Amino acid sequence: ARKTRVLAAIEDGSLAKSGVTRLDLSGCDLARLPEKIGALTSLEFLNLGDNPLSSLPESFDGLVNLRVLFFLRCEFVAVPVVLGRMKSLFMLSFKANRVRDVPEGCLPPSLGWLILSDNEIEKLPACIGECVGIRKLLLAGNKLTNAGLPDGMKNLRQLELLRIADNELTSVPEWLPPPPPPP
């Protein structure tokens, strides 16, 4: 019932007119989003976790104020390129999907948190090096190799937390600063 009401409100434009800033559609059994989702221009937080989603409509970049976006346990195999056009996006999570492909241009430079843990990612795109304000980068539980980490990651100087356990790395990436000396 909730799913039906919310989708109807997106379709008829009433949700966009309401100025809604937060929307939690987790666990609503959504296989696709309506094109009109892009009209929710006031939206700042959107949780779409636990849905069988595997793609986003091209209108998704109409969510011009969206800062936080969660896709926990969905069915994505690729990070949608439309996300790279979202200039306000700060926190993005695709934790525990089936992501294998993180295409060039899919990561907006505005990102501060990127959560890609528990997927099947072997390599990251060079554009991750343009996310210079990124502070938290969670990549554990993938299939990343040293060759799959672009040299541009040395530009991530604001990085406070990097989780890369449970991957296929053979050495510590050269771009990581050395650990602080013991006290």
Side-chain angles (χ1 to χ4, degrees):
R2 178 175 153 258
K3 169 187 164 183
T4 306
R5 280 193 320 271
V6 171
L7 291 178
I10 291 171
E11 287 293 345
D12 71 15
S14 61
L15 195 58
K17 290 176 189 156
S18 76
V20 65
T21 58
R22 296 179 61 86
L23 188 56
D24 186 343
L25 292 174
S26 60
C28 285
D29 200 33
L30 295 170
R32 57 177 286 283
L33 295 173
E35 274 295 324
K36 290 189 177 179
I37 189 124
L40 303 178
T41 57
S42 59
L43 205 60
E44 296 174 14
F45 173 95
L46 179 58
N47 183 358
L48 292 165
D50 292 309
N51 281 296
L53 288 169
S54 61
S55 65
L56 296 175
E58 281 301 309
S59 65
F60 202 79
D61 62 356
L63 303 174
V64 294
N65 288 302
L66 193 66
R67 292 190 39 80
V68 178
L69 181 57
F70 293 124
F71 293 106
L72 173 66
R73 290 185 300 269
C74 290
E75 296 183 8
F76 286 89
V77 295
V79 175
V81 175
V82 67
L83 298 177
R85 300 192 300 263
M86 300 185 71
K87 295 179 177 23
S88 297
L89 197 57
F90 180 78
M91 185 182 296
L92 177 62
S93 174
F94 279 92
K95 181 176 170 58
N97 277 253
R98 294 179 297 167
V99 174
R100 287 188 290 278
D101 187 22
V102 185
E104 202 58 57
C106 73
L107 303 174
S110 57
L111 285 177
W113 288 42
L114 178 59
I115 304 162
L116 295 172
S117 306
D118 303 322
N119 281 288
E120 301 171 19
I121 301 165
E122 294 180 14
K123 66 182 179 94
L124 295 173
C127 68
I128 195 165
E130 297 167 20
C131 300
V132 294
I134 208 158
R135 297 195 319 249
K136 302 205 179 347
L137 182 56
L138 309 182
L139 302 169
N142 279 289
K143 297 178 179 179
L144 288 164
T145 63
N146 287 78
L149 299 176
D151 289 337
M153 290 180 80
K154 68 178 178 263
N155 299 332
L156 307 182
R157 294 193 180 99
Q158 304 295 315
L159 202 57
E160 297 168 3
L161 175 65
L162 173 65
R163 290 201 174 139
I164 53 174
D166 298 322
N167 275 288
E168 297 177 13
L169 301 172
T170 54
S171 62
V172 175
E174 290 180 20
W175 49 264
L176 273 177

